[in-house]
Amino acid sequence: MRRSSFFFLYVFFCLLVIGAIVFWSEREGSRFIAKSPDLQEITAVLRLTDISFSHDARYTRHPSQADLFSAFQDYPGSIDHFPSGSVTAPPDFSLLSTRITVRKR
Amino acid sequence: MSADKHINILDFTIQSLLRRKFKNAGIILVFSFVIFIAGSILFLSYSFKREAVLILKDAPELIVQRTLAGRHELIPEKYAEIIARFPGVSDVSPRYWGYYYDSLVKANYTVISADRSLQTSNRLFRGQMPGEGDFGNAAIGRGIARARFIDIGDDVSLIAADGKVMDFRIAGIFESESELLTSDLIVMSRQDLSRLFGFPGGVATDLSVSVSNETEAPVIARKIRDRFPDTRPILRSEILRTYDAVFGWRSGLILTLFAGAMIAFIILAWDKATGLSAEEKKEIGILKAIGWETSDILEIKFWEGLVISLTSFLTGIILAYLHVYFLGASLFAPALKGWSVIYPEFRLAPFINMYQIATLMSLTVIPYIASTIIPSWKASITDPDEVVRG
């Protein structure tokens, strides 16, 4: 067997696995979408605003409701007590002028 | 030109790669790892984002919080009556909820009241949802059931704000498939919740506002802000945007890991692009001396880059998929869990963004092939004698 055949066989095997993955993903994705009305009903009935992803701080349990504007509060993106706080993105401060100018006396 | 010639050149390339098998195996290992990390991040963040958007599709259109001294404060229920009279507002319901710290398991629960029940056909809830006036009953999320070893029919004791113990009978439980939404929830009647937290009369945690036409929600939010300057309205679109940002490229996890993986790849490609080893140069010189064309040498190098990068890419991306969707992203879990005691044991739905995968492929495979070909092209246009003698 030629050496190139091993390479082609490996690529073919990987493509076969990827094909199976795509097929499985389609199926599982459709299953999730099929059960999503039940999840949406829970959201609507309990009037939930956030996913239950991390429970160590208010701003990681309910990122959309957290009072990020409060002074001296830890907030997503800061170097803080909770590791999951550094997982979430910092607020968009692009509209504010955040340049610090240091002048010589 | 027959296909046989190309196959022969590929055979020769693989033979040449096998001569330096440890070095090339090392490159494939590192390259696969880089793709594995980058692919895992892409799969994880995209699935979280898609799931959050799907699940929160029916979240309240508008939440009105009250702020006092720069912090979230309980809102008077009479605000609801006034807001309900605004044109375009179809309904205003106070939301009663809060956090409860359970010192027994050192976990935080989200306690919420429900004023209506789920449909009996809902497959993600078992038992009964405690409604208005339903004292002493609670429904819990799977995370709490796991932490406290309880199920339907068992009792759970919570310490109320006045220090007295409140006993609840577990009347319902959310199924594990809803953990990403309900893991830490305790649902109870409004009266029980008010007693547990010691809520003063006539206040709620915040207000949920429904509007007749969703496009008018920003206008209504502005009106609420004008009428009640101490409030903070949060639109549903803002809630969804939050999750877009949390799992977007700017988020800490994505940026840190992705940047690390990309820097490792750039070092790898840079090492290839900045020059050939003396042995590789000698090989090119000998091939040129025995009559190989420059185009043949470039083809060898093309195959070399393709064999290494394609093998690594396919291996890395398959392993990333298995890591995220079959092993629950176990490598990233410690960072995602943080200090949480209750952590949802969810299985992410495998949503794949082919555009992201194609981008990752074009950002890794093509630059690697280019970085293999360019230095070889320089060596192959030089006089063989000069190349062999170094």
Side-chain angles (χ1 to χ4, degrees), chain A residues 2-4 10 24-25 38 40-41 43 47 49-52 55-56 61-62 65 70 81 83 86-87 89, chain B residues 7-8 11 15 54-55 65 70 95 99 119 122-123 180 184 208 239 243 252 315 321 339-340 342 344:
Chain A
R2 298 176 73 155
R3 285 197 170 80
S4 55
Y10 183 71
W24 188 80
S25 301
D38 288 342
Q40 285 158 2
E41 195 204 353
T43 309
R47 292 191 289 266
T49 53
D50 289 86
I51 58 170
S52 172
H55 313 127
D56 42 10
R61 174 61 182 91
H62 290 102
Q65 306 295 300
S70 287
H81 186 62
S86 37
V87 168
Chain B
I7 301 289
N8 288 339
D11 278 336
Q15 175 67 39
L54 263 169
I55 291 173
Q65 286 182 350
R95 289 201 316 157
Y99 300 111
Q119 287 176 21
N122 195 306
R123 291 160 291 177
L180 198 53
D184 70 331
S208 158
I239 293 174
Y243 283 93
T315 311
Y321 187 92
W339 291 64
S340 310
I342 295 176

Side-chain angles (χ1 to χ4, degrees), chain B residues 54-113:
Chain B
L54 263 169
I55 291 173
L56 299 173
K57 197 171 82 68
D58 290 336
E61 285 156 328
L62 192 58
I63 291 286
V64 182
Q65 286 182 350
R66 183 175 173 237
T67 56
L68 182 72
R71 315 211 89 197
H72 179 208
E73 179 62 38
L74 298 177
I75 193 164
E77 284 169 356
K78 66 175 185 214
Y79 281 27
E81 293 158 24
I82 300 167
I83 293 169
R85 290 200 288 269
F86 284 12
V89 173
S90 56
D91 181 51
V92 184
S93 312
R95 289 201 316 157
Y96 302 90
W97 64 277
Y99 300 111
Y100 178 86
Y101 177 68
D102 186 351
S103 55
L104 198 69
V105 290
K106 296 185 170 54
N108 278 309
Y109 305 150
T110 301
V111 185
I112 196 162
S113 78

Side-chain angles (χ1 to χ4, degrees), chain A residues 45-60:
Chain A
V45 166
L46 298 178
R47 292 191 289 266
L48 301 176
T49 53
D50 289 86
I51 58 170
S52 172
F53 170 64
S54 188
H55 313 127
D56 42 10
R58 287 195 306 276
Y59 56 86
T60 58

